[in-house]
């Protein structure tokens, strides 16, 4: 499946199909393709193509240095929507302290964040809780907190996520992607 154009043979997709650009000089473009099951790395994170129509990927882990501090999972990569976080994707990432999960993610695999002993804050932007695999968040920091969209804390998240968090906090609903303003009320 064609996913876009890059400006170097091993570069990232910079232009997508149908996108208009104004040329100011010579430009060489390289077609980028993908197939279901293919794996690629973007900004240190590894993705597996799960579908080509619609174009979706699973975040399967990382390549190179273990993530530390805040991990902001992107909503899209190379034109594909990130719909899941794979089994053991961030297992025992000891220096991971917070994770932001976009509303596109509908599934978090078994042991995905298990053993992340410093993981204290998880921000989930979805109004429908992602399905959790077994022990997805076991072994995290004792003082951990989860923040979810306002007005659905008690009705939607508490029944399915209370095994991992005693208290679930709310923030105003955001959208999938960048540019969110965080205003906590809990």
């Amino acid at each position: 499946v064609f996913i876009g154009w890059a400006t170097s043979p091993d570069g990232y997709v910079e232009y997508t199909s149908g996108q208009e650009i104004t040329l100011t000089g010579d430009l060489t473009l390289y077609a980028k393709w993908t197939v279901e099951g293919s794996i690629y790395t973007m900004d240190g994170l590894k993705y597996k193509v799960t579908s080509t129509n619609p174009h979706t990927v699973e975040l399967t882990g990382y390549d190179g240095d273990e993530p530390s501090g805040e991990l902001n999972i992107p909503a899209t990569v190379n034109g594909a929507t990130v719909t899941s976080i794979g089994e053991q994707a961030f297992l025992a990432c000891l220096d991971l302290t917070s994770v932001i999960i976009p509303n596109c993610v509908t599934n978090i695999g078994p042991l995905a964040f298990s053993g992340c002993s410093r993981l204290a804050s998880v921000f989930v932007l979805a109004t429908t809780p992602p399905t959790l695999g077994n022990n997805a968040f076991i072994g995290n920091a004792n003082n951990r907190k989860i923040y979810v969209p306002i007005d659905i804390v008690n009705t939607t998240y508490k029944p399915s996520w209370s095994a991992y968090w005693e208290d679930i906090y709310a923030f105003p609903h955001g959208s999938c992607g960048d540019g969110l303003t965080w205003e906590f009320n809990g």
Side-chain angles (χ1 to χ4, degrees):
V1 172
F2 174 75
I3 59 171
W5 300 97
T7 56
S8 66
D10 57 350
Y12 302 125
V13 170
E14 294 184 37
Y15 306 106
T16 57
S17 179
Q19 180 180 359
E20 292 184 26
I21 60 171
T22 303
L23 293 177
T24 57
D26 290 343
L27 179 63
T28 301
L29 296 174
Y30 299 85
K32 301 296 272 189
W33 304 85
T34 189
V35 295
E36 285 186 28
S38 64
I39 297 174
Y40 59 90
T41 300
M42 177 74 73
D43 297 328
L45 299 177
K46 291 173 31 177
Y47 300 92
K48 177 182 174 184
V49 177
T50 54
S51 174
T52 56
N53 189 19
H55 193 187
T56 61
V57 295
E58 174 182 79
L59 174 55
T60 62
Y62 56 93
D63 191 21
D65 293 337
E66 183 177 289
S68 63
E70 180 180 279
L71 174 63
N72 189 351
I73 296 172
T76 60
V77 289
N78 273 349
T81 303
V82 178
T83 58
S84 62
I85 300 170
E87 182 173 347
Q88 299 184 12
F90 298 97
L91 179 68
C93 286
L94 302 179
D95 291 325
L96 194 59
T97 58
S98 67
V99 175
I100 300 171
I101 301 172
N103 69 3
C104 316
V105 172
T106 58
N107 184 56
I108 299 174
L111 303 169
F113 295 97
S114 180
C116 298
S117 58
R118 292 185 61 214
L119 182 59
S121 301
V122 176
F123 303 91
V124 183
L125 307 184
T127 55
T128 301
T131 301
L132 292 178
N134 290 336
N135 300 319
F137 290 96
I138 294 297
N140 299 153
N142 290 333
N143 60 344
R144 64 183 176 238
K145 294 180 182 175
I146 181 171
Y147 298 92
V148 301
I150 198 166
D151 297 332
I152 60 167
V153 173
N154 294 322
T155 59
T156 306
Y157 275 87
K158 281 201 177 177
S160 60
W161 285 50
S162 61
Y164 297 106
W165 287 274
E166 224 174 88
D167 295 315
I168 299 176
Y169 300 90
F171 65 85
H173 180 63
S175 62
C176 189
D178 297 329
L180 295 177
T181 301
W182 301 99
E183 296 176 24
F184 299 106
N185 68 7

